[in-house]
Amino acid sequence: MTVDFEMTTKQKKLKQLVREFAQDVLRPVAESADALPNPQDAFCAMRTAYREAATLGLTTMFLPKEYGGGGASNVDFLIAIEEMCAVDPGFPTILLVNGLALMPILWFGSDVHREKWLGQATSDPDGQFLAGWVVSERGGTANFDHPSPSAGIQLVADHDLRRGEYVLNGEKHWPCNAGGWDLGGADINVCVVRTDRTKGGDGALSVVVVERGTAGIEYEVIDKMAHRTCQNVTMTFRGARVPQENVLAHGDGDLLINRNFTWSSPIASMAAVGVARGAYEFTLKWAKTYTGGGTVPIINHQAVGNLLTEVAAKIEAGRYFCWKAAHYMDMFPGQGHALGGMNKTFCGDLMHSVVFDCMRIVGVNALDQKFPMAKFYREAAVFPLYDAGSLAMQRRRAWGVMADGAFSPDTFVDNQPLEFTRSMQGYGVTTDRG
């Protein structure tokens, strides 16, 4: 039997460990933080939970053991993410973004880069290390691979050869973790920049690691309707200088963006499944006790029973799709772009229907903020929009792979490798690919 959905004993222990953390530590802190009017206060209120997560190894579990990480597989990380997101999806986003910032250093960095920054992340004595993934801009990120130099990424990094530095000017909008606990900056911010003003996305983009304390950067916190337990900011760069040795993936920033958002796709997908599960678990308990003014709990009515059955089936389907995508990426690191994109769009849409159907079952009481349904509804709005979205980047990435001659409808079911190439980029950025 080669197709196996059984968790290992170690994975079952991980699930139980993270479930206890989510219920006993995360839930009470997140509930109070979500209600705080100031978004930075809400983020900082999560520091106690973050320290506990660091103690448990959750904040860097995705990094290899050779660099002090937990050596977790992609599937392992998904198991942890689901348990936390069923309680609060904002907090695990902090962990996801740590990964989005640190994994590029693992893939594209030198040995010196890895030892310095990955070691810094995994040897954090205070349990407060943060890394920011800084790519999105006010004009959006979806067209980062546009052939025109005036489109896509516009944070410019000019090379000052005389001083051996890159000078950054421009703005980033929405990066998570980037402001740090005190708005003095994350420990490191991994920034996608334009290092060539004359080229399009192919060859013009690079990544610069900006360390905490770098002058010339301002941080303004964004006040969000959901995911209030994580931080998003606007970063303004005015002549910020970074040593040239902090540059990695020079000219290959487009490939890095694609690989990074492929890695994160099943994680964000499982986060959506976690939110759906949280709404379902509350609704199932509600249906077993609430009578709606009748003589029996509403679960005994056919309309409710049928709808709950559909809800449960969607969650099961979403979970196993996430496991499949993560398993494929464990087998073929750096691949799975189409599978990841499809996974993200499918689970984001699925979760919306689940949360809304659960609200229909709970009825008007779903609007009462003493119950969690209103929060689930707010949180659900995030998933088609963040982590490379769903409508734009995710579907475009899947489209580009599927249009390639090497792609087959059997590629993923047969677990066949499929390398991502630049020829798969650019679909949808212009009306004429010629």
Side-chain angles (χ1 to χ4, degrees):
M1 183 65 179
T2 56
V3 179
D4 187 0
F5 291 94
E6 175 70 18
M7 285 191 288
T8 66
T9 300
K10 184 177 180 181
Q11 287 171 332
K12 291 176 181 177
K13 289 181 179 178
L14 172 65
K15 176 182 177 180
Q16 186 59 37
L17 173 72
V18 181
R19 178 169 291 190
E20 291 174 358
F21 164 77
Q23 296 290 341
D24 299 340
V25 179
L26 178 57
R27 183 184 296 280
V29 176
E31 286 179 351
S32 60
D34 179 71
L36 294 174
N38 183 291
Q40 181 64 11
D41 290 345
F43 174 59
C44 289
M46 304 308 298
R47 290 184 76 167
T48 55
Y50 189 82
R51 288 193 184 100
E52 180 64 23
T55 299
L56 296 174
L58 301 178
T59 57
T60 55
M61 64 181 292
F62 42 79
L63 290 175
K65 289 185 177 180
E66 63 185 289
Y67 295 107
S73 68
N74 288 316
V75 176
D76 294 338
F77 195 32
L78 261 59
I79 291 169
I81 288 292
E82 180 184 346
E83 294 305 317
M84 287 184 279
C85 286
V87 170
D88 174 73
F91 177 79
T93 304
I94 305 173
L95 279 56
L96 165 61
V97 174
N98 276 349
L100 280 166
L102 296 171
M103 295 303 281
I105 297 172
L106 178 67
W107 300 326
F108 291 87
S110 66
D111 288 340
V112 173
H113 291 147
R114 297 187 193 104
E115 291 174 8
K116 179 180 180 180
W117 291 314
L118 301 187
Q120 183 182 353
T122 57
S123 61
D124 172 28
D126 301 319
Q128 60 182 9
F129 176 93
L130 288 175
W133 166 236
V134 184
V135 56
S136 183
E137 300 182 0
R138 285 192 186 274
T141 307
N143 292 300
F144 71 93
D145 50 356
H146 198 286
S148 170
S150 62
I153 301 297
Q154 296 299 311
L155 174 61
V156 177
D158 292 312
H159 198 184
D160 184 342
L161 287 168
R162 184 178 61 84
R163 295 179 57 173
E165 296 174 331
Y166 277 86
V167 185
L168 278 59
N169 286 284
E171 187 179 86
K172 292 290 188 180
H173 195 51
W174 288 111
C176 183
N177 295 356
W181 299 110
D182 60 356
L183 293 182
D187 293 271
I188 60 169
N189 277 313
V190 177
C191 304
V192 180
V193 299
R194 178 173 292 276
T195 46
D196 192 325
R197 294 172 180 260
T198 66
K199 297 179 180 178
D202 180 354
L205 307 182
S206 306
V207 169
V208 176
V209 179
V210 179
E211 297 177 276
R212 178 176 167 83
T214 299
I217 306 175
E218 296 178 359
Y219 305 90
E220 180 182 354
V221 180
I222 300 171
D223 192 0
K224 313 185 298 289
M225 63 176 275
H227 275 45
R228 294 185 63 80
T229 51
C230 66
Q231 177 205 69
N232 295 85
V233 299
T234 298
M235 293 177 68
T236 303
F237 298 79
R238 296 187 177 93
R241 290 182 169 269
V242 179
Q244 62 187 18
E245 56 266 26
N246 284 24
V247 175
L248 47 125
H250 192 277
D252 289 331
D254 54 336
L255 297 177
L256 188 152
I257 290 171
N258 266 312
R259 179 168 181 174
N260 221 15
F261 281 134
T262 294
W263 174 81
S264 66
S265 290
I267 303 167
S269 301
M270 187 59 90
V273 171
V275 171
R277 192 193 95 188
Y280 164 63
E281 288 178 345
F282 173 81
T283 302
L284 182 62
K285 291 179 182 178
W286 180 274
K288 288 181 175 180
T289 57
Y290 182 71
T291 65
T295 58
V296 296
I298 60 174
I299 198 172
N300 291 284
H301 296 291
Q302 185 180 43
V304 173
N306 284 349
L307 194 51
L308 279 171
T309 300
E310 292 180 11
V311 163
K314 289 177 180 178
I315 293 169
E316 294 293 329
R319 177 182 295 117
Y320 304 142
F321 192 0
C322 295
W323 285 4
K324 166 65 180 181
H327 174 65
Y328 183 89
M329 293 175 197
D330 280 328
M331 292 184 65
F332 307 111
Q335 299 182 38
H337 292 62
L339 191 62
M342 291 186 286
N343 187 205
K344 173 66 163 57
T345 57
F346 179 83
C347 289
D349 291 345
L350 171 154
M351 174 215 48
H352 266 272
S353 66
V354 165
V355 171
F356 184 65
D357 284 343
C358 286
M359 294 185 75
R360 292 166 63 197
I361 293 169
V362 174
V364 71
N365 290 298
L367 305 179
D368 190 336
Q369 300 227 52
K370 72 180 179 183
F371 301 121
M373 293 307 301
K375 184 175 186 292
F376 285 129
Y377 189 71
R378 285 189 289 113
E379 302 291 4
V382 175
F383 289 89
L385 310 176
Y386 89 143
D387 194 62
S390 290
L391 180 63
M393 285 178 67
Q394 295 291 358
R395 285 186 168 93
R396 281 209 304 108
R397 291 191 307 110
W399 171 22
V401 175
M402 293 167 67
D404 193 85
F407 177 80
S408 162
D410 291 325
T411 295
F412 300 125
V413 69
D414 290 344
N415 267 349
Q416 295 299 312
L418 181 60
E419 293 281 353
F420 184 83
T421 65
R422 277 200 169 101
S423 65
M424 299 173 181
Q425 292 185 162
Y427 281 80
V429 300
T430 63
T431 56
D432 181 7
R433 280 182 54 79

